[in-house]
Amino acid sequence: MTVQYVQYKGIKFPPGYNSVESLSFAENKFEVQDDDIFNVTYPKSGTVWMTEILSLILSGGDPAWNQSVLNSLRAPWFSTQLGLETAHDSPSPRLLTCHLPIQIFPKAFFTSKAKVVYTSRDPRDIVVSYYYFTKMCTTYEDPKSFNQFLDSFLSGDVPHGSWFDHIKGWMELEGRSNIFFISYEELKQNLRGTVERLCHFLGKELDDAAITSVVENTSFQAMRRNKMCNSTMLPKELMDQEKGTFLRKGICGDWKNHFTVAQSEYFDRVYQEKMQGLNRIFPWEQT
Ligand code: A3P
């Protein structure tokens, strides 16, 4: 089935909840509050994982909110029509989610004290995760093959735009005190330590027992059991659970099971070229 994507500032967005109006509103008119906390990612980088972590931190480790309220209501996607309404009705401090690149992010943020948590991930694992995700999601075009999808990903011709532009744009804000950069790989390696650092960043110090609760309730297995975040509550018209599982594998390095040697070499060439000059070593570059 052909999907008519929404085009906004040269980037295509999945139709349905996104529209030119909702994206333009998010960029130009969205009112940012000083205690807003934005969960920003490129797709498949651990967005839903971070929503669970942030919700639990705000709840002081009590899992009741995470287990009784849908993630999209706890941390609304404010750049969509539906999410904007939820965001307007949310009490502060608000958790807000988006995949927006920096150039479309709410202008009001830059003169506010609001905070951003930006989660990155090995782009090779993103492309694998994204490939499976697009197959089960009706608002995304079905990829013809993994090779075709990889090509589109590397040229930036996928919904939400180029991964390279996204991360490079956001990395320009590195060093600001209201932005916290973290990677999926660091979350996997040291979830507890990362939760502690996040608490500190958010000014929400939790005791050991509360931190243990955050860690336990955000494990891959716990999240898979929680209907409020495992996507099984989404209607089949949006996500066909027979075609895949949203919380699919939850591991680092699954790309090794999918890339051929030629694809890996091609990926490395494009990566070197596009990431040139970025003075930073990401966790996935060390493996
Ligand atoms: P995989 O498809 O590789 O399993 P997003 O929320 O940005 O769409 O990202 C989804 C990816 O994050 C999926 O990756 C999903 O399994 C993974 N994920 C979500 N929660 C996780 C957790 N608690 N631990 C590890 N991975 C998690």
Side-chain angles (χ1 to χ4, degrees), residues 41-49 99 121 125 128-129 133 184 188 218-221 223 245-251 254:
T41 56
Y42 185 84
K44 313 320 293 173
S45 305
T47 327
V48 166
W49 193 3
H99 291 320
R121 188 183 188 184
D125 284 336
V128 171
S129 182
F133 179 73
Y184 181 97
K188 285 291 289 185
T218 56
S219 73
F220 187 64
Q221 295 312 332
M223 281 180 55
T245 312
F246 177 77
L247 293 168
R248 195 182 56 91
K249 278 198 182 171
I251 58 169
D254 194 32

Side-chain angles (χ1 to χ4, degrees), residues 101-164:
I102 190 82
Q103 70 274 21
I104 304 179
F105 199 66
K107 289 195 167 79
F109 167 76
F110 298 95
T111 50
S112 78
K113 293 195 179 97
K115 294 179 176 171
V116 164
V117 177
Y118 184 92
T119 311
S120 59
R121 188 183 188 184
D122 187 333
R124 294 166 296 188
D125 284 336
I126 288 180
V127 77
V128 171
S129 182
Y130 213 173
Y131 169 71
Y132 287 107
F133 179 73
T134 56
K135 282 169 171 251
M136 66 185 297
C137 235
T138 50
T139 51
Y140 288 75
E141 198 139 328
D142 254 352
K144 290 187 186 63
S145 65
F146 180 68
N147 203 46
Q148 172 262 316
F149 191 74
L150 178 61
D151 253 351
S152 302
F153 180 85
L154 289 174
S155 63
D157 186 25
V158 283
H160 302 284
S162 157
W163 176 84
F164 298 100

